Amino acid sequence: MLNEDKPVDDYSVVLQRLRKIYHSSIKPLEQSYKYNELRQHEITDGEITSKPMVLFLGPWSVGKSTMINYLLGLENTRYQLYTGAEPTTSEFTVLMHGPKLKTIEGIVMAADSARSFSPLEKFGQNFLEKLIGIEVPHKLLERVTFETVNYSVPVLLLQWGA
């Protein structure tokens, strides 16, 4: 069903309606009741319209990157994630859709308000240096975002979605 355009179109229409509802009904309530004093930042359009995220979490060399390569059909292509028996990654890696293969630094991802990663700035410079984004032109990534994390990266990373 990845070749069908209709589900993606319906999904984006629903997200746009949700964004309008938030701005017209919910945000005014948040402002009148000073919700921003309880939450560290305001909800951005990027957070409202972001795709579902699937997290692959585990120690080194257990198959996280291999599984993503399999799901996306990237084995033996120039887009495949590097895999090996030795520790291969020490980053928090985010795979998202893009028109061409491209790597994005974590600092840039967090600064881009169109993406849903701005809350990660609260973890500081050291964390953002371990964050890396990879854009891949794949139909599945139009609907979902994949992340991989090794146990060596602090578990505080899991709190960013809270």
Side-chain angles (χ1 to χ4, degrees), residues 120-153:
L120 297 178
E121 289 180 314
K122 69 182 176 186
F123 294 110
Q125 183 75 21
N126 288 338
F127 167 70
L128 293 176
E129 289 174 359
K130 294 282 186 187
L131 176 65
I132 185 166
I134 303 172
E135 288 186 347
V136 179
H138 193 280
K139 287 289 246 181
L140 180 58
L141 293 176
E142 290 178 356
R143 300 172 188 215
V144 68
T145 299
F146 290 143
E147 295 116 18
T148 64
V149 181
N150 289 316
Y151 283 153
S152 65
V153 179

Side-chain angles (χ1 to χ4, degrees), residues 27-91:
K27 190 169 184 172
L29 284 172
E30 288 179 350
Q31 291 170 336
S32 65
Y33 288 100
K34 300 184 190 296
Y35 180 71
N36 61 336
E37 292 179 11
L38 299 174
R39 186 175 163 97
Q40 292 183 351
H41 73 283
E42 289 188 23
I43 297 172
T44 65
D45 286 346
E47 289 175 287
I48 293 171
T49 59
S50 66
K51 294 175 233 153
M53 295 184 185
V54 177
L55 175 65
F56 291 83
L57 175 69
W60 277 299
S61 301
V62 295
K64 298 179 298 293
S65 296
T66 300
M67 176 62 114
I68 291 172
N69 285 337
Y70 172 77
L71 289 172
L72 298 177
L74 301 178
E75 300 99 338
N76 303 315
T77 70
R78 65 186 184 121
Y79 301 119
Q80 79 176 3
L81 297 176
Y82 177 75
T83 59
E86 73 284 350
T88 54
T89 58
S90 61
E91 297 96 14

Side-chain angles (χ1 to χ4, degrees), residues 15-29:
L15 287 178
Q16 292 306 320
R17 288 191 359 219
L18 180 61
R19 187 181 62 78
K20 286 179 184 175
I21 290 169
Y22 172 75
H23 284 290
S24 65
S25 301
I26 298 171
K27 190 169 184 172
L29 284 172

